[in-house]
């Protein structure tokens, strides 16, 4: 049973009709008082509620209703209805425990999809079984290596959320394997037969954003010599992976938010809207909550993409996985006889700080195998390659530097080390060249390079 609460009878009747045609049972409430009376008697499976009522134009009455509903029915997902001009109310509502929000006028298909996702996530969250048909320790075991409790917790969560359409935000430092986790979510979902489209948002300029993401028609601009599908259209029926989400500028964030709202857009040079059905998985190595406070990342977009957050622990927090990873990379890149490591070699690898995480370990192991040509790799073999190719061992200056100061130091030292070769600098730091350029401009680094 789905409870719909709104003081507009036309909205109550239209929503009831849409949901009942989709096979849901509904009940309605024309005021917060009536809604509370209903939830006191029996908790529905889901609640759809407006934020603004006749007696309150500020939305406070809607927020109060949400708080009271959470007391009586703490596990019931709540979907908020708001207008574009009051999205900040919806964001406040999500902070208070709402599942998601839809804007007026809503799209029926998008609303039904949001309802289906909310119900599925709720049921899986309440399921005390094995989390579905996926055996989490076997998810992509040929690529996601490790047995640490931290990694197992991540994979257990992947097992629970993969079958849903819930948007996922994957956080973690560069090189931790965020893309592999995104692929695991896709491959263990109902969309696994559909496309998995990867987009590096840090590598798309503001001027090309709409063309890249939404496509264009022939003649839309000077160089548009043919029709071109955008990334969202290519991902129809599958999953779109938005990497480096934190690098997106504010103007593009607005355009992205509107697409995520109802999954419709207009390609450049096209007057009709294109509708797609794609799951959103995002990733970032930045602290988006801090960016929200700094007003460099939209709060409404932040809550739109991170319904479920997966944090990938850095390699230094799971040292027990390092020998397993080293063996894995050795098997993949050894030549001739299997390559083995001495106990001292394992000890050396396990003691490194790994600012580049798994990517750094992989590069070190592969480089050492290729350079040494040995079947048994020692700690001295690894040490020589580590010292020779280390980007910056003392990445942080003395005292308590800010994140910006530390980042600036890392970039300038890496530029010195690689003689101004920005391609090598970007690779070593685990970011794209475009992201490196933006950081250099931000900190006023190397304008003459």
């Amino acid at each position: 049973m789905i409870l719909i609460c709104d003081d507009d009878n036309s909205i109550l009747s239209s929503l009831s009709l849409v949901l009942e045609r989709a096979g849901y049972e509904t009940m309605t409430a024309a005021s917060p008082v009536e809604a509370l009376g209903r939830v006191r008697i029996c908790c529905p499976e889901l609640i759809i509620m407006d934020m603004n009522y006749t007696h309150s134009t500020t939305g406070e009455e809607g927020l109060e209703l949400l708080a009271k509903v959470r007391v009586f029915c703490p596990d019931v997902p709540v979907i908020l209805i708001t207008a574009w001009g009051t999205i900040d109310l919806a964001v406040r509502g999500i902070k208070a425990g709402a599942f998601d929000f839809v804007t007026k006028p809503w799209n029926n298909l998008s609303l039904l999809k949001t309802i289906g996702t909310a119900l599925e996530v709720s049921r899986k969250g309440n399921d005390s079984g094995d989390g579905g048909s996926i055996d989490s320790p076997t998810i992509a075991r040929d690529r996601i290596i490790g047995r640490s409790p931290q990694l197992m917790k991540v994979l257990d969560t992947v097992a629970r959320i993969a079958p849903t359409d819930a948007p996922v935000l994957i956080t973690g430092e560069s090189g931790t394997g965020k893309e592999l986790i995104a692929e695991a979510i896709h491959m263990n979902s109902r969309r696994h037969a559909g496309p998995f489209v990867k987009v590096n948002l840090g590598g798309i300029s503001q001027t090309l954003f709409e063309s890249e993401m939404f496509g264009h028609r022939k003649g839309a601009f000077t160089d548009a010599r043919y029709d071109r599908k955008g990334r969202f259209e290519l991902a129809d029926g599958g999953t779109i992976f938005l990497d480096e989400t934190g690098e997106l500028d504010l103007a593009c964030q607005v355009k992205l938010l509107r697409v995520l709202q109802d999954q419709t857009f207009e390609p450049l040079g096209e007057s009709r809207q294109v509708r797609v059905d794609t799951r959103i998985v995002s990733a970032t190595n930045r602290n988006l909550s801090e960016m929200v406070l700094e007003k460099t990342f939209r709060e409404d977009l932040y809550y739109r993409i991170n319904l479920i957050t997966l944090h990938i622990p850095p390699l230094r927090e799971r040292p027990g996985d390092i020998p397993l990873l080293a063996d894995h990379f050795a098997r993949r890149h050894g030549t001739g006889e299997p390559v083995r490591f001495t106990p001292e070699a394992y000890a050396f690898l396990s003691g490194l700080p790994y600012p580049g995480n798994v990517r750094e370990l992989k590069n070190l192991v592969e480089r050492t195998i290729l350079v040494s040509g040995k079947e048994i790799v020692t700690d001295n073999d690894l040490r020589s390659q580590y010292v020779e190719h280390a980007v910056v061992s003392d990445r942080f200056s003395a005292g308590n530097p800010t994140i910006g100061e530390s980042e600036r130091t890392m970039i300038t030292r890496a530029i010195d080390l690689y003689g101004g070769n920005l391609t090598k600098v970007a690779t070593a730091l685990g970011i794209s060249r475009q992201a490196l350029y933006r950081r250099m401009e931000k900190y006023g680094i190397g304008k003459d390079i």
Side-chain angles (χ1 to χ4, degrees):
M1 180 69 69
I2 295 178
L3 171 63
I4 306 168
C5 181
D6 199 297
D7 60 357
D8 187 328
N9 287 330
S10 63
I11 290 180
L12 289 179
S13 58
S14 61
L15 280 176
S16 296
L17 181 61
V18 170
L19 268 60
E20 288 168 4
R21 284 180 174 176
Y24 296 109
E25 294 184 39
T26 66
M27 57 181 176
T28 61
S31 69
V33 173
E34 186 178 354
L36 284 175
R38 292 190 178 278
V39 299
R40 281 192 177 101
I41 297 172
C42 179
C43 285
E45 289 184 274
L46 181 140
I47 300 172
I48 301 175
M49 56 174 284
D50 193 16
M51 292 295 289
N52 283 303
Y53 295 89
T54 304
H55 302 296
S56 172
T57 58
T58 63
E60 294 300 327
E61 194 170 4
L63 292 172
E64 289 176 8
L65 174 58
L66 174 62
K68 293 174 181 177
V69 163
R70 303 304 295 171
V71 171
F72 290 102
C73 305
D75 298 323
V76 172
V78 177
I79 296 175
L80 307 176
I81 304 175
T82 187
W84 267 106
T86 56
I87 285 184
D88 59 318
L89 283 176
V91 171
R92 291 173 63 189
I94 290 178
K95 287 181 177 179
F99 178 85
D100 205 346
F101 65 90
V102 296
T103 57
K104 300 175 184 177
W106 63 82
N107 175 276
N108 288 340
L109 292 177
S110 296
L111 174 62
L112 290 173
K113 181 178 178 181
T114 300
I115 291 171
T117 299
L119 290 172
E120 190 165 13
V121 171
S122 177
R123 289 164 185 159
K124 287 188 176 295
N126 294 327
D127 184 9
S128 59
D130 61 4
S133 60
I134 303 172
D135 180 12
S136 62
T138 66
I139 292 178
R141 296 307 293 166
D142 59 327
R143 303 185 68 192
I144 302 177
I145 308 299
R147 298 173 185 166
S148 63
Q150 300 95 319
L151 184 61
M152 290 298 100
K153 182 178 179 180
V154 171
L155 296 183
D156 285 343
T157 304
V158 169
R160 290 196 304 273
I161 67 175
T164 75
D165 275 334
V168 181
L169 174 64
I170 305 172
T171 64
E173 298 175 5
S174 295
T176 51
K178 296 186 290 295
E179 183 177 320
L180 291 180
I181 295 297
E183 289 182 358
I185 292 172
H186 171 71
M187 294 308 299
N188 289 281
S189 73
R190 291 186 296 265
R191 299 171 176 269
H192 65 273
F196 178 73
V197 177
K198 296 177 283 188
V199 185
N200 184 342
L201 294 178
I204 301 177
S205 66
Q206 181 178 347
T207 54
L208 295 177
F209 180 80
E210 289 185 272
S211 175
E212 285 290 329
M213 302 304 292
F214 313 139
H216 62 253
R217 299 296 177 250
K218 181 179 179 180
F221 49 87
T222 303
D223 294 327
R225 299 185 178 89
Y226 51 85
D227 290 352
R228 182 180 185 276
K229 289 184 178 181
R231 305 298 182 88
F232 273 99
E233 195 168 357
L234 292 173
D236 190 22
T239 302
I240 187 166
F241 175 51
L242 305 176
D243 199 7
E244 292 198 33
T245 307
E247 304 300 329
L248 202 59
D249 63 71
L250 287 169
C252 294
Q253 289 176 30
V254 175
K255 298 170 185 175
L256 179 61
L257 176 63
R258 288 187 174 271
V259 178
L260 301 189
Q261 166 65 32
D262 56 16
Q263 299 211 350
T264 61
F265 55 88
E266 292 182 4
L268 291 176
E270 177 67 75
S271 59
R272 69 178 182 89
Q273 285 197 327
V274 174
R275 177 173 300 284
V276 294
D277 175 22
T278 183
R279 184 182 192 170
I280 310 299
V281 178
S282 309
T284 182
N285 60 6
R286 304 187 69 180
N287 189 325
L288 294 189
S289 60
E290 285 188 1
M291 293 180 65
V292 169
L293 294 176
E294 296 168 354
K295 306 297 184 183
T296 56
F297 198 85
R298 290 183 63 95
E299 189 174 22
D300 44 10
L301 177 59
Y302 175 63
Y303 284 104
R304 175 66 70 187
I305 63 175
N306 80 333
L307 179 62
I308 296 172
T309 300
L310 280 174
H311 179 69
I312 314 303
L315 189 56
R316 62 183 174 275
E317 292 182 5
R318 49 188 185 101
D321 289 341
I322 291 175
L324 298 175
L325 286 162
D327 288 341
H328 171 71
F329 298 138
R331 284 194 300 271
R332 287 180 55 189
H333 296 278
T335 57
E337 294 297 320
V339 175
R340 294 182 290 118
F341 296 90
T342 65
E344 293 78 13
Y346 284 132
F348 174 78
L349 289 173
S350 299
L352 297 178
Y354 294 111
N357 289 289
V358 177
R359 185 183 296 121
E360 181 181 350
L361 172 63
K362 176 177 179 290
N363 291 341
L364 175 58
V365 168
E366 293 176 359
R367 189 168 63 243
T368 303
I369 290 173
L370 291 174
V371 172
S372 70
K374 294 181 177 180
E375 296 177 7
I376 299 179
V377 175
T378 69
D379 56 327
N380 287 330
D381 298 324
L382 292 163
R383 185 176 291 106
S384 64
Q385 292 302 313
Y386 177 76
V387 171
E388 182 178 348
H389 290 82
V391 179
V392 181
S393 58
D394 54 337
R395 288 176 179 256
F396 300 102
S397 58
N400 296 298
T402 65
I403 292 176
E405 290 170 343
S406 299
E407 193 170 52
R408 189 183 195 284
T409 299
M410 290 169 60
I411 294 172
T412 54
R413 293 185 180 179
I415 289 174
D416 290 341
L417 182 67
Y418 288 107
N421 187 320
L422 298 186
T423 298
K424 291 184 178 180
V425 171
T427 300
L429 295 176
I431 59 177
S432 67
R433 281 178 61 97
Q434 290 81 0
L436 176 61
Y437 291 149
R438 281 195 292 275
R439 284 172 167 83
M440 290 174 63
E441 182 177 2
K442 176 181 178 181
Y443 299 123
I445 301 172
K447 296 183 182 296
D448 57 340
I449 293 179

